[in-house]
Amino acid sequence: MTKAFYLYNTLSRSKELFEPVTPGMVGLYVCGPTVYGEPHLGHSRPAITYDVLVRLFRHLGYKVRYVRNITDVGHLENDADEGEDKIAKKAALEKLEPMEIVQTYTIAYHDAMRALGTLPPSIEPRASAHIIEQISLIQKILDSGFAYISNGSVYFDVPAYDKKFKYGILSGRQLEDMREGTRDLDGSSDKRSPYDFALWKKASPEHIMRWPSPWSDGFPGWHLECSAMGAKYLGETFDIHGGGLDLQFPHHECELAQNVAGRGCQGVKYWMHNNLITIDGRKMGKSLGNFITLNELFTGSHKHLQKAYSPMTIRFFILQAHYRSMLDFSNEALQAAEKGLKRIMQAGKDVESIAYTGEGVLNPELPRIEEDVLDALCDDLNTPIALSHLFDAVRIVNSAKAGSLTLGEGDHEILKRLFGDIIPNVLGLVEELGDSDDSLVGGLMDMVLQVRSEAKAKKDWAMSDLIRDRLKNLGITVKDTKEGTEWSRN
């Protein structure tokens, strides 16, 4: 591990030099999906962001234990601990057992993640399989004096905790500021304060999902699950806790408070949050008609889509923006990503076919490009800057392919590392299985354009123009640039 890695820590609100709890080992916990519906566009960003993080750490020589949970119980309809459990509600609507819902949508999620090229986590725990650990943690929080029992439910006492430790340090909120807009309790609530959140909920008679506990037959609170499972698999203090920006408050804020109350420590060194995806500048939502599942993206079956987009195009689109910045989805953005991905993948194929003359590095720009790519990735996972440097390498490949640039064996070795290691193994961009026809067309086009290049070198302009015009009649546009010849389907 010769490369320093800097990560933005949400807790300190600054970039910090990454130093793992255990030298050479990274413990990463990422909040996974609540599996009650089809995986959608919003699921793609955290999945791809933390996949690249894991790949990069392994590239740098770290061992990584990557834990991503499945929430299959306890996530209620809103953050006020009210309403139905999302999975139980879906099960009632579809007249299925809750675990049938869980299994159906967990399989769908895994299928979508494989299509996007994400590696499976090292451990994928389910909340319902860790009830004992959650009950144990609740008891520790009760013993510390920061929770109370009310009518068979157990609630975290936020005002009591705030007096000693300050609640809101992760999100930057003050308890006094939260009072505005908070609904007063109506007298029938089991809570002492509207800020308090459930650690354990007593199940109503009709509630399907329930487990015995010292307090009642019920189910754990959503926030509690990650605190319990993170400690079980990564230790009471581990390196990185990741998730979407929408989880920063209240979910991760509550986790942090639970950790302090139950363990006596914050439990996480670096809190990491990816920003959200909007669609044409608006938040994605079913009521707005712009809620798009990943299957709809892959098939083009949503009314908002002009065409189908491949999983690798979605992955490239995600990587074009820094993970902490907002990312706006549109057909135009996806089509631009499609073209950019095609340029990179084609250059990767060309690396092996172009001629290399002489030994050593003949192009001094290439070592700098390789260094800049890794520097960008190690600077808080700056994938858009890394991609911009990779396109510099694409330009060099295209120039060598056109015969206007000479490369040596040393250049070849650098290009092989960029296109044969960094792009597929760190960024996770690979040729898709369904691209065999495109590969055939690409190979034939390489042959045709090589003939045209030779005609131009002989100043046989008539033959050069004839090839260009014949290709145009077939729906293929040929464009000569200073970096080489590019082609595209009309």
Side-chain angles (χ1 to χ4, degrees), residues 10 50 85 166 189 220 283 286 317 451 456 471:
T10 305
Y50 299 109
D85 182 292
K166 288 299 178 186
S189 173
K283 184 178 178 180
K286 290 183 179 179
F317 166 70
V451 172
K456 289 175 66 179
L471 288 172

Side-chain angles (χ1 to χ4, degrees), residues 1-8 15-18 52-53 56-57 59-62 322-323 370-383 385-386 422 426-427:
M1 286 162 285
T2 59
K3 202 76 176 173
F5 179 76
Y6 289 87
L7 180 66
Y8 184 88
K15 268 192 263 189
E16 299 178 9
L17 175 65
F18 177 76
V52 174
L53 183 68
L56 177 61
F57 274 131
H59 179 80
L60 295 175
Y62 288 96
H322 191 273
Y323 77 89
E370 183 178 28
E371 185 73 12
D372 287 346
V373 168
L374 202 54
D375 282 347
L377 291 173
C378 289
D379 182 17
D380 194 27
L381 210 64
N382 201 326
T383 56
I385 296 299
I422 295 294
V426 178
L427 296 180

Side-chain angles (χ1 to χ4, degrees), residues 25-262:
M25 178 80 182
V26 177
L28 169 66
Y29 189 98
V30 175
C31 290
T34 302
V35 282
Y36 68 100
E38 291 288 342
H40 53 76
L41 177 61
H43 286 130
S44 65
R45 194 166 198 190
I48 292 168
T49 295
Y50 299 109
D51 180 66
V52 174
L53 183 68
V54 168
R55 289 170 178 269
L56 177 61
F57 274 131
R58 288 174 177 163
H59 179 80
L60 295 175
Y62 288 96
K63 293 181 179 180
V64 182
R65 177 173 288 176
Y66 172 24
V67 180
R68 183 185 67 203
N69 73 295
I70 294 289
T71 297
D72 59 357
V73 65
H75 196 168
L76 303 186
E77 289 180 279
N78 61 47
D79 294 323
D81 296 320
E82 296 175 350
E84 297 179 72
D85 182 292
K86 292 183 177 182
I87 290 169
K89 181 179 179 180
K90 186 75 169 180
L93 286 172
E94 298 192 13
K95 294 182 171 56
L96 296 171
E97 285 291 322
M99 288 303 141
E100 286 183 275
I101 294 295
V102 168
Q103 184 72 350
T104 296
Y105 292 116
T106 299
I107 290 171
Y109 178 76
H110 286 160
D111 288 344
M113 294 305 103
R114 276 192 295 270
L116 290 170
T118 66
L119 302 172
S122 313
I123 303 171
E124 192 172 52
R126 295 189 180 192
S128 62
H130 295 78
I131 301 298
I132 292 174
E133 290 84 356
Q134 293 173 78
I135 290 175
S136 175
L137 179 56
I138 293 170
Q139 189 58 58
K140 290 178 181 177
I141 297 172
L142 280 166
D143 293 343
S144 72
F146 295 112
Y148 58 90
I149 304 166
S150 179
N151 193 29
S153 294
V154 184
Y155 292 95
F156 192 93
D157 192 334
V158 172
Y161 176 87
D162 184 65
K163 286 180 183 178
K164 185 171 183 180
F165 296 109
K166 288 299 178 186
Y167 178 79
I169 61 172
L170 183 63
S171 60
R173 303 188 184 204
Q174 300 289 329
L175 201 61
E176 294 77 14
D177 299 334
M178 298 180 207
R179 295 186 191 281
E180 186 176 346
T182 303
R183 184 170 58 85
D184 291 332
L185 300 179
D186 58 9
S188 63
S189 173
D190 295 330
K191 295 182 183 182
R192 295 176 183 171
S193 162
Y195 314 115
D196 297 347
F197 57 89
L199 300 174
W200 185 266
K201 287 284 284 185
K202 180 181 179 180
S204 59
E206 67 276 6
H207 201 283
I208 308 172
M209 305 173 78
R210 60 175 67 215
W211 289 264
S213 80
W215 315 288
S216 66
D217 282 1
F219 53 92
W222 173 40
H223 310 309
L224 186 80
E225 300 167 359
C226 294
S227 287
M229 292 186 288
K232 180 177 175 67
Y233 294 108
L234 297 174
E236 294 205 340
T237 296
F238 57 87
D239 297 304
I240 303 171
H241 193 323
L245 189 61
D246 55 326
L247 297 179
Q248 182 180 318
F249 185 89
H251 186 48
H252 289 170
E253 194 73 75
C254 294
E255 274 191 64
L256 192 154
Q258 290 166 166
N259 294 346
V260 173

Side-chain angles (χ1 to χ4, degrees), residues 439-469:
S439 298
L440 176 60
V441 171
L444 292 172
M445 281 301 302
D446 286 346
M447 292 172 57
V448 172
L449 293 179
Q450 181 63 36
V451 172
R452 182 170 179 266
S453 179
E454 292 170 359
K456 289 175 66 179
K458 296 175 183 177
K459 297 186 178 181
D460 187 351
W461 309 120
M463 176 58 71
S464 172
D465 292 344
L466 177 64
I467 293 173
R468 181 197 62 201
D469 294 341

Side-chain angles (χ1 to χ4, degrees), residues 293-356:
T293 69
L294 287 172
N295 185 61
E296 288 171 333
L297 272 170
F298 301 157
T299 60
S301 58
H302 192 280
K303 64 180 181 180
H304 192 85
L305 301 171
Q306 294 176 2
K307 55 175 287 187
Y309 297 100
S310 74
M312 280 298 113
T313 297
I314 303 303
R315 187 178 181 104
F316 187 84
F317 166 70
I318 298 292
L319 296 179
Q320 282 183 306
H322 191 273
Y323 77 89
R324 286 193 287 114
S325 64
M326 188 73 78
L327 178 59
D328 191 51
F329 168 94
S330 67
N331 280 282
E332 292 74 19
L334 262 293
Q335 288 163 20
E338 192 172 56
K339 290 179 181 178
L341 175 64
K342 182 179 178 181
R343 286 184 63 200
I344 281 187
M345 301 312 291
Q346 184 58 53
K349 296 173 189 175
D350 293 337
V351 164
E352 294 301 327
S353 62
I354 57 181
Y356 299 93

